[in-house]
Amino acid sequence: ISSLKTRSSASVRINRDGPVEVLSSVQDIATGTKTILAQVVADELDAAWETVQVKMAPAAEPFKDPVHE
């Protein structure tokens, strides 16, 4: 497994009239990825945790992983 290479990224959208959106380039496979991303973003932005939505990023630029092209 030492040859396994992957990169992850996340982008944050702060909407004026709505929730904060986090677009994650990795899937949450019941490991808590969505929960921890929401908590970190809420903490950093001093926002209510409930207003942060974590979504899967589209499989397109700029989110795709160049290692797996």
Side-chain angles (χ1 to χ4, degrees), residues 28-61:
D28 187 348
I29 53 172
T31 57
T33 302
K34 285 184 176 182
T35 302
I36 195 64
L37 282 174
Q39 289 174 339
V40 168
V41 169
D43 186 54
E44 288 297 317
L45 296 178
D46 198 25
W49 186 83
E50 301 83 18
T51 65
V52 180
Q53 297 178 351
V54 179
K55 300 178 178 180
M56 288 297 305
E61 295 289 347

Side-chain angles (χ1 to χ4, degrees), residues 4 9 11 13 15 17 21-24 26-27 30 32-33 40 43-44 53 59-61 63 67-68:
L4 179 65
S9 63
S11 297
R13 292 182 185 169
N15 300 306
D17 299 327
E21 295 178 347
V22 180
L23 299 173
S24 174
V26 295
Q27 291 185 346
T33 302
V40 168
D43 186 54
E44 288 297 317
Q53 297 178 351
E61 295 289 347
F63 303 102
V67 173
H68 295 95

